[in-house]
Amino acid sequence: MKTPFEITCVILSGGKSSRMGEDKSLLPFFSSKTLIQYQYDRLKPYFKNIYISSKVDKFDFLEKDFLILDEKQDIFSPILALDTIFKKFKNQKIFIITVDTPFVSIDSIDKLIKESKDYDICVAQTEKTHNLCGVFSSNISLTIKTMIENDIHKIGYLLKNNIHKILKFPNNGEFININDKDDYKTALNNINFAYNN
């Protein structure tokens, strides 16, 4: 069966979860054992290949071939995660999404992929720019290496120094991050409401 998106997807799941106070990717979510499994299972049917980027192997549902472990374990930075990802995937574009954004619609993902054609990076924007929800090209690898050498870890810097597009979306709700306990409760209420109505 042909999947809608020929592009590879990587879910970022290697953050500190400091505001949550525990690893948010392992919290139960809706009908899934964990948030990461929910995000993985909901996206898997739409992508040719789907991987998880993490600091450690903490996933009992994932085949090891689809796990990307950060090369540097002691520094928490999405730039380092992207560096490891693009050492694996050369000369292609990757759809990047974080584990804590389980409401981003397939329709919005489709728009991001379609609009990324002439850009190295194409990310979503609502009330704020969602720097880790979008399409990233391996063309950015050199910028990433320079950033790491200079100890620069801001995704905004990566955008400014590559050909990028910021795609505006009207629905802020679908791009909400689950950062703390209150966000988590709200997300559980929202998903339960959505499925029961």
Side-chain angles (χ1 to χ4, degrees), residues 2 73 84 90 106 126 160:
K2 189 178 184 294
Q73 298 293 309
T84 307
K90 295 180 172 72
I106 301 305
T126 51
K160 285 177 191 169

Side-chain angles (χ1 to χ4, degrees), residues 88-192:
K88 182 176 180 68
F89 301 109
K90 295 180 172 72
N91 303 314
Q92 59 182 291
K93 289 188 173 185
I94 306 292
F95 180 75
I96 300 285
I97 191 168
T98 54
V99 62
D100 60 1
T101 52
F103 299 113
V104 178
S105 70
I106 301 305
D107 184 52
S108 294
I109 292 170
D110 183 43
K111 286 175 185 167
L112 283 161
I113 292 170
K114 283 176 178 167
E115 291 290 330
S116 72
K117 188 179 173 189
D118 299 316
Y119 300 91
D120 293 327
I121 304 171
C122 180
V123 294
Q125 184 183 69
T126 51
E127 292 169 3
K128 66 171 189 173
T129 304
H130 305 281
N131 288 332
L132 291 170
C133 181
V135 179
F136 291 74
S137 167
S138 55
N139 292 345
I140 66 175
S141 295
L142 282 176
T143 309
I144 288 172
K145 287 184 189 346
T146 303
M147 288 174 68
I148 292 168
E149 286 167 8
N150 291 286
D151 200 27
I152 300 167
H153 295 275
K154 300 284 186 189
I155 294 286
Y157 182 94
L158 183 65
L159 263 67
K160 285 177 191 169
N161 287 276
N162 287 280
I163 301 165
H164 71 279
K165 178 168 188 172
I166 294 173
L167 192 60
K168 295 196 174 183
F169 290 89
N171 182 5
N172 192 54
E174 70 172 297
F175 292 93
I176 285 173
N177 294 85
I178 300 172
N179 287 316
D180 55 31
K181 301 284 187 191
D182 288 338
D183 294 339
Y184 178 52
K185 284 179 195 167
T186 301
L188 289 175
N189 288 337
N190 287 349
I191 198 159
N192 284 324

Side-chain angles (χ1 to χ4, degrees), residues 2-19:
K2 189 178 184 294
T3 49
F5 309 132
E6 287 298 304
I7 193 171
T8 292
C9 174
V10 178
I11 305 169
L12 301 181
S13 185
K16 269 186 176 177
S17 297
S18 51
R19 280 180 278 178

Side-chain angles (χ1 to χ4, degrees), residues 16-128:
K16 269 186 176 177
S17 297
S18 51
R19 280 180 278 178
M20 187 66 73
E22 59 184 301
D23 189 338
K24 63 177 128 178
S25 72
L26 300 179
L27 292 170
F29 196 75
F30 191 52
S31 58
S32 295
K33 192 170 147 186
T34 59
L35 178 59
I36 182 61
Q37 188 162 1
Y38 176 85
Q39 184 76 308
Y40 180 87
D41 287 344
R42 86 176 184 96
L43 295 174
K44 192 173 190 300
Y46 299 95
F47 287 92
K48 188 177 177 182
N49 290 301
I50 183 163
Y51 293 77
I52 295 174
S53 165
S54 180
K55 289 282 181 196
V56 294
D57 183 359
K58 53 190 176 183
F59 314 108
D60 58 7
F61 63 91
L62 187 69
E63 290 178 41
K64 304 306 172 202
D65 290 346
F66 294 95
L67 176 65
I68 303 168
L69 292 175
D70 284 357
E71 290 180 358
K72 295 186 179 178
Q73 298 293 309
D74 53 333
I75 302 169
F76 289 85
S77 161
I79 294 297
L80 292 173
L82 288 172
D83 185 48
T84 307
I85 289 164
F86 282 116
K87 281 177 182 171
K88 182 176 180 68
F89 301 109
K90 295 180 172 72
N91 303 314
Q92 59 182 291
K93 289 188 173 185
I94 306 292
F95 180 75
I96 300 285
I97 191 168
T98 54
V99 62
D100 60 1
T101 52
F103 299 113
V104 178
S105 70
I106 301 305
D107 184 52
S108 294
I109 292 170
D110 183 43
K111 286 175 185 167
L112 283 161
I113 292 170
K114 283 176 178 167
E115 291 290 330
S116 72
K117 188 179 173 189
D118 299 316
Y119 300 91
D120 293 327
I121 304 171
C122 180
V123 294
Q125 184 183 69
T126 51
E127 292 169 3
K128 66 171 189 173

